[in-house]
Amino acid sequence: MQNKRGSSSLLDVMEFYIKFARMTGKQLDSVKVNMEKAVISVMDTVTVVNQLLDKASAESEAELLSTHLNPDKDRSKAMNDIQSSIDDIFAAAQAKMVIETDAEDDMKNRLGGKFAKEKESIYFLAKQTIDPLVALMGSLSIEDVVGQRLTNVGEGLREFTVCLSKLINMKVEGLTPEHVHDLEHELKTWTHARLTSTGEVEVFNQFYKDIKLTDQGNGGFSVFITRYLSMLAMQLNEVRRQVSDSVATATDSVMAMNMLLDYNKSRANSALVKGKSGDSFVATSMQELDKVKVVESAAFKSNADNLSDICNTIGQSIMDMMGELSIEDVIAQRIEHIVHSFENLSKISALLAGLLAEEGAEEKFESLATDFLRVLVKSYTMESEKAVLFAYFPKTPKLAKAG
């Protein structure tokens, strides 16, 4: 399989690929752990929001019924005063008379309306938020599938290093094309047996279905590495797409929840008052009306900020979820970086057949490997990625020396 000139360079190649595979496996382990933490955190927040809305909705519904069917002494008096004021207005309207209401009557009516609208808004907020919450949970449920695919790629990399180690232990001078052929077949069979989804099998078949495994000397070794790395790159690219789609859907769901908060706050806070023209009504807010310096009725005062408190709590939860989803977006970027490293290394692998037979093969491969690592440093945008790279390749040129 190998002439003397390329013997040591082939060993260098195998050892480089083993280190690369182990380094990439470590990156994938980190990605998977971070993804699991982010998803668990978002799911926990979803549970808290759901429980809060369920509780608030039930309490609001019960309080509305209690106010009308079984009010306490203070609330009964307030409701009677409000109803009396309304009855006077209707009576005056039927008699085609103009009735003048004082500021205290206006405040009582306003307080009763504000109380009812806030309780109804809490109830509707809970009902309307069900759909975006379900969509959010559905988008994140992909984490199990994605996690399994990451695990399969990581295990494939580990088995890849096992196969290369076997080649090294066979002594390069004694290797035959059949050895490479047999090990590629072994890796192919091992990998296929561990695929757990239709998508993974489809990607795998693009590279291995109905093909004859190469057994032509160094060319066979080159094709073996190139094919396997390219297959893993495509598997990871599918994973990256799934993560990106999941983040996009989850973000849309969170933004929909935020819009519902704004809508229901506006709904509870809106009011119609007579404009300057007299007969026409214009939209204003409860806050504007509350600038009238009239003491609020004690019967409704304790409920005044209930909706606001709920919306503030959910608003903070939304900010927390957006922060966790930004981590998921970073995870998609890290996977993309790994995909690019596979693709770039596959290009080097395709050159190996001719390279190993050339004079000065060791120096040429070392130059290619150095350039590859230099590009990898540039592509890594996170210190955690670079830390793993330098742990496995301590002599990697730093970015400052890359130019």
Side-chain angles (χ1 to χ4, degrees):
M1 171 185 178
Q2 175 68 41
N3 59 31
K4 187 175 181 180
R5 175 186 299 163
S7 297
S8 58
S9 58
L10 181 56
L11 283 173
D12 291 340
V13 169
M14 291 180 185
E15 290 171 354
F16 177 83
Y17 277 90
I18 287 173
K19 287 170 65 177
F20 169 79
R22 288 172 177 166
M23 182 269 293
T24 305
K26 198 73 172 178
Q27 299 278 18
L28 289 175
D29 289 342
S30 175
V31 165
K32 188 180 177 187
V33 168
N34 289 335
M35 182 177 67
E36 289 173 349
K37 286 181 179 178
V39 170
I40 289 172
S41 181
V42 174
M43 287 295 197
D44 286 346
T45 305
V46 168
T47 300
V48 170
V49 170
N50 194 43
Q51 291 174 344
L52 170 67
L53 287 173
D54 281 348
K55 183 174 181 291
S57 175
E59 289 177 349
S60 296
E61 192 172 11
E63 199 165 2
L64 277 173
L65 288 174
S66 174
T67 297
H68 290 284
L69 301 179
N70 188 31
D72 59 28
K73 182 179 178 181
D74 289 339
R75 195 167 291 182
S76 178
K77 182 180 183 305
M79 293 293 290
N80 287 334
D81 288 346
I82 291 170
Q83 189 60 52
S84 176
S85 175
I86 294 173
D87 289 343
D88 289 345
I89 293 173
F90 273 107
Q94 288 178 336
K96 298 183 179 179
M97 296 170 56
V98 177
I99 185 169
E100 296 293 334
T101 58
D102 59 24
E104 187 170 356
D105 284 335
D106 288 341
M107 177 59 77
K108 287 178 181 178
N109 292 337
R110 184 160 67 251
L111 288 171
K114 184 176 183 180
F115 167 77
K117 290 178 75 176
E118 282 197 347
K119 296 305 172 185
E120 289 171 357
S121 291
I122 292 171
Y123 175 81
F124 285 117
L125 177 63
K127 300 304 178 186
Q128 294 164 351
T129 308
I130 290 175
D131 287 343
L133 280 176
V134 170
L136 177 58
M137 290 186 290
S139 67
L140 297 178
S141 66
I142 197 70
E143 185 266 336
D144 287 340
V145 175
V146 168
Q148 186 58 57
R149 292 190 77 165
L150 288 175
T151 296
N152 289 343
V153 172
E155 290 180 350
L157 283 169
R158 282 186 279 275
E159 190 64 17
F160 177 64
T161 66
V162 170
C163 289
L164 292 185
S165 296
K166 287 179 179 179
L167 289 177
I168 291 175
N169 291 334
M170 287 176 184
K171 308 297 182 185
V172 176
E173 292 82 356
L175 281 178
T176 65
E178 288 75 20
H179 287 143
V180 176
H181 173 278
D182 291 344
L183 281 173
E184 181 175 19
H185 179 74
E186 177 184 323
L187 183 59
K188 171 194 169 187
T189 304
W190 185 95
T191 302
H192 185 267
R194 282 156 180 76
L195 300 181
T196 53
S197 69
T198 302
E200 289 175 295
V201 174
E202 289 175 351
V203 170
F204 181 87
N205 286 339
Q206 288 186 45
F207 291 89
Y208 287 104
K209 187 178 182 180
D210 300 327
I211 61 101
K212 183 179 184 298
L213 299 184
T214 309
D215 56 4
Q216 301 300 314
N218 289 337
F221 179 75
S222 173
V223 172
F224 161 45
I225 292 180
T226 304
R227 182 154 46 212
Y228 198 71
L229 291 181
S230 297
M231 186 271 294
L232 292 182
M234 185 171 286
Q235 296 283 16
L236 283 177
N237 204 42
E238 287 295 303
V239 172
R240 180 204 57 76
R241 181 189 58 77
Q242 287 178 302
V243 173
S244 295
D245 290 348
S246 173
V247 170
T249 302
T251 301
D252 288 345
S253 299
V254 173
M255 295 307 295
M257 288 174 56
N258 195 51
M259 290 178 65
L260 287 172
L261 290 184
D262 291 340
Y263 170 76
N264 280 283
K265 282 192 291 186
S266 297
R267 179 183 183 278
N269 190 44
S270 63
L272 288 176
V273 297
K274 277 190 176 184
K276 293 181 179 179
S277 59
D279 294 332
S280 63
F281 284 82
V282 295
T284 186
S285 69
M286 291 291 183
Q287 279 88 343
E288 287 298 315
L289 293 178
D290 287 345
K291 290 179 180 179
V292 179
K293 300 301 182 182
V294 178
V295 177
E296 291 186 351
S297 169
F300 296 123
K301 188 172 183 181
S302 62
N303 301 287
D305 297 323
N306 192 235
L307 175 65
S308 177
D309 290 343
I310 291 171
C311 289
N312 288 339
T313 301
I314 297 176
Q316 182 59 54
S317 297
I318 286 174
M319 291 178 63
D320 293 341
M321 286 189 282
M322 289 300 290
E324 294 298 336
L325 289 175
S326 69
I327 295 175
E328 287 278 289
D329 203 31
V330 169
I331 287 169
Q333 293 178 33
R334 289 193 67 173
I335 295 174
E336 185 175 12
H337 296 162
I338 297 172
V339 170
H340 289 161
S341 71
F342 277 130
E343 292 172 344
N344 291 333
L345 197 55
S346 293
K347 295 175 183 178
I348 296 177
S349 304
L351 301 173
L352 289 180
L355 175 68
L356 295 176
E358 295 178 2
E359 193 73 43
E362 292 178 54
E363 291 78 10
K364 291 179 180 178
F365 177 75
E366 183 179 351
S367 176
L368 285 174
T370 299
D371 288 342
F372 165 76
L373 292 173
R374 184 179 286 123
V375 171
L376 203 55
V377 174
K378 285 185 177 181
S379 70
Y380 283 169
T381 55
M382 286 155 269
E383 290 303 317
S384 56
E385 294 176 298
K386 294 177 182 178
V388 175
L389 173 62
F390 294 137
Y392 282 87
F393 296 97
K395 295 182 180 180
T396 302
K398 301 298 189 289
L399 187 58
K401 299 178 182 179

